[in-house]
Amino acid sequence: VQLQASGGGLGQAGGSLRLSCAASGNTFSKQSVGWYRQAPGEQRELIASISSTSDTYYKDFVKGRFRISRDNAKNTAYLQMNSLKPEDTAVYYCNTGRHVGVDYYPSGSWGQGTLVTVSS
């Protein structure tokens, strides 16, 4: 599965952006999807994931602000980002993988990310 994240850009604090993750191939619906971000000088970190049955999981620092979803008919996952903060500024990536319980394990290669910049 190859993935392409898109939808990034310049947002304002308190505003919203929606990211998309388009997948190739025919196994997308059977896989979990994770959204990651990497801020300048920081390590890439998982922020949200969704299972093949659409169970969703969030890191505390985005819980209540971000929402992950998927549309298997379109081979696409989404990350709705609300109440943006300047500290959300990062390159955002998506990946497919699997869940073991609530833990998400990515697999496959990383596609090109999309840059989100949030101004104060």
Side-chain angles (χ1 to χ4, degrees):
V1 177
Q2 293 190 339
L3 301 164
Q4 179 65 54
S6 62
L10 179 62
Q12 289 189 328
S16 299
L17 285 172
R18 189 176 84 152
L19 307 184
S20 297
C21 173
S24 64
N26 57 7
T27 61
F28 177 77
S29 64
K30 301 176 184 178
Q31 296 179 293
S32 295
V33 177
W35 278 101
Y36 291 75
R37 71 185 185 189
Q38 186 168 17
E42 302 289 333
Q43 290 189 335
R44 191 173 300 181
E45 60 180 352
L46 176 68
I47 57 174
S49 60
I50 184 167
S51 73
S52 59
T53 54
S54 294
D55 295 318
T56 58
Y57 306 89
Y58 300 91
K59 294 297 186 181
D60 286 345
F61 52 84
V62 301
K63 196 175 294 183
R65 298 191 300 124
F66 291 8
R67 186 172 69 87
I68 189 172
S69 62
R70 66 190 299 160
D71 184 339
N72 290 334
K74 296 182 178 179
N75 264 19
T76 301
Y78 303 96
L79 185 69
Q80 178 67 42
M81 307 165 61
N82 300 322
S83 302
L84 287 168
K85 302 177 180 181
E87 52 263 44
D88 294 322
T89 294
V91 178
Y92 285 72
Y93 301 86
C94 57
N95 203 326
T96 52
R98 64 189 179 97
H99 278 93
V100 178
V102 301
D103 295 319
Y104 174 74
Y105 296 91
S107 60
S109 59
W110 293 96
Q112 186 174 359
T114 186
L115 175 63
V116 171
T117 303
V118 182
S119 62
S120 58

